[in-house]
Amino acid sequence: MRVFNFVSKSGDSLPLAQRVVDEGHRVVFYINDKDARLVGDGMIEKASTKGVLVNEGGTVNTEVFNQLLHPKPDCIIFDMVGKGFGKAADKFRAKGIPVIGGSQWSDKVELDRPYGAKMMKLAGINIPRTHAFTNYPEAIRFVEEKNKAYVYKPSGNQPTTTTYVSRGADDMIGMLEYYSNEVGEFELQEKVDGVEISTELWFNGSEVVNVNHTMEEKSLMESGGPKAGCMGDVVWNGSKDSKLFREGIGRMTSALKKLDYRGPIDLNTIVTKDRLYGLEFCPRFGYNALFSFMMIYQGNVNDLLYSIASGVAKSLPVNKGFGLSVTFALPPFPLDIEPEFSKDILIQGLNKSNLKYIWFYDVYKKGRDYACAGNGGDLGAVTAYGDTIREAKRRAYRTLFNVVVPDVIYRRDIGDRVGNDIAVLKQWGWL
């Protein structure tokens, strides 16, 4: 039996930890955010320490750090990037403990967008013309002068709901005026029309052991609406021989080897008939893509985590079909206001059969009942596997329709565009 220590920012890796427990191993689950610590109660063993490992300034608390070394873990999982979290992950590595999911480089390449763009340029990955700003009036003058459509992207830990894809100069200017109370650096990226796809590789410190692709829906509603991170996605396995890999994330392998990087990292891209444009890195577990990937992954979760973290994995056993996920949530999701609004609303209709395909986020157990923990309302993801996208979608929604949650929010169109987009990419020679 192995001991796994999950260091979670706000509970995102709870369902992953539950799978490791189901496989017969011990998990100690620690949540850094005190306001989110109800997540997982009654579902998983929690760390005994009540302290905060990483404070808002990014400082690592040595006392809490030492407490998380007991019981001695065989593997430590970090589930999210964030100021100071990568530093904590590297401190655990320095103790000789296998760690997956976090590093100081990971924090920088995702949260510092200009640095991420620099890494793409150094690797030879094309990027759309991008301009960094800290001053909103200056950005407004820039858009007025260029009179083009841009994509607004926040840097650092600003909410994903502030990401905005404009139709033209006028609506971009209006949104910049609206966002002008935000503090921090942001980017305006020239809008490129094409097929959006993420390509992820799993790296063991020295080589690529798997490649897979993701197409996701980021908007809350089928017609658009605020960006919600991920409302659902489709994942399928890829190849190191594809043009999509070679001209995209594959160009990062030399850098990842020098960094001794261990874990998944994906590159979100826009692909046209002739060119690939890198948009952003995700050097960590992607949600919900990780759970969709678990639908095509044939091995044990604990072996996946441990073998990648320790560097011994050489390949991953993966099916040829499709994994699909659908996010289901409650208000105020995806807005970061009144996070406890839906606290204690029950999730019913659960049984041993469908729990295998449900990956909970903002959930805890009240006795025998599952309920919202009041951490923003993102309840989780429902997943399924299928030989075809249509089959995976049918199975996922069948599970979701049997789950009873008052006022539940989810999209009904996950996977609908993916088949056509894959066909286009194959026609263009990318897959």
Side-chain angles (χ1 to χ4, degrees), residues 193-246:
D193 292 321
V195 176
E196 187 168 355
I197 183 171
S198 293
T199 302
E200 178 179 68
L201 60 80
W202 291 77
F203 206 75
N204 68 358
S206 59
E207 62 182 331
V208 178
V209 298
N210 198 73
V211 178
N212 48 272
H213 304 295
T214 304
M215 287 186 179
E216 71 176 357
E217 302 296 347
K218 296 182 173 68
S219 296
L220 177 65
M221 297 178 289
E222 293 148 34
S223 58
K227 300 301 179 185
C230 176
M231 287 302 294
D233 56 36
V234 176
V235 173
W236 70 100
N237 219 36
S239 167
K240 288 185 281 187
D241 296 326
S242 70
K243 184 180 177 183
L244 194 59
F245 175 80
R246 294 196 311 270

Side-chain angles (χ1 to χ4, degrees), residues 327-333 339-340 342 362 372-380 409:
T327 293
F328 67 114
L330 289 167
F333 176 83
E340 294 189 354
S342 295
D362 185 18
C372 179
N375 189 36
D378 188 357
L379 296 177
I409 300 167

Side-chain angles (χ1 to χ4, degrees), residues 250-377:
R251 295 194 173 187
M252 288 294 296
T253 52
S254 295
L256 296 174
K257 187 173 182 178
K258 290 178 182 177
L259 290 161
D260 192 27
Y261 183 87
R262 302 183 185 197
I265 175 171
D266 81 40
L267 176 66
N268 190 24
T269 61
I270 289 282
V271 180
T272 68
K273 183 177 181 179
D274 302 310
R275 300 195 77 178
L276 175 150
Y277 295 91
L279 302 179
E280 58 196 8
F281 289 112
C282 180
R284 55 172 172 83
F285 299 129
Y287 307 102
N288 306 333
L290 174 64
F291 308 136
S292 295
F293 176 74
M294 288 302 169
M295 292 293 98
I296 61 173
Y297 174 68
Q298 293 180 296
N300 290 326
V301 174
N302 79 90
D303 287 335
L304 171 68
L305 300 175
Y306 182 80
S307 65
I308 294 289
S310 59
V312 301
K314 296 301 179 184
S315 63
L316 302 182
V318 181
N319 273 322
K320 292 183 178 179
F322 297 88
L324 183 145
S325 76
V326 184
T327 293
F328 67 114
L330 289 167
F333 176 83
L335 301 179
D336 190 21
I337 56 171
E338 297 188 51
E340 294 189 354
F341 181 78
S342 295
K343 183 180 177 182
D344 291 333
I345 290 181
L346 294 183
I347 305 163
Q348 298 176 299
L350 304 174
N351 55 57
K352 287 184 179 180
S353 296
N354 62 24
L355 278 171
K356 293 186 296 185
Y357 304 104
I358 300 173
W359 307 73
F360 287 125
Y361 293 139
D362 185 18
V363 173
Y364 79 112
K365 284 189 80 173
K366 299 172 61 177
R368 297 173 63 181
D369 295 325
Y370 291 84
C372 179
N375 189 36

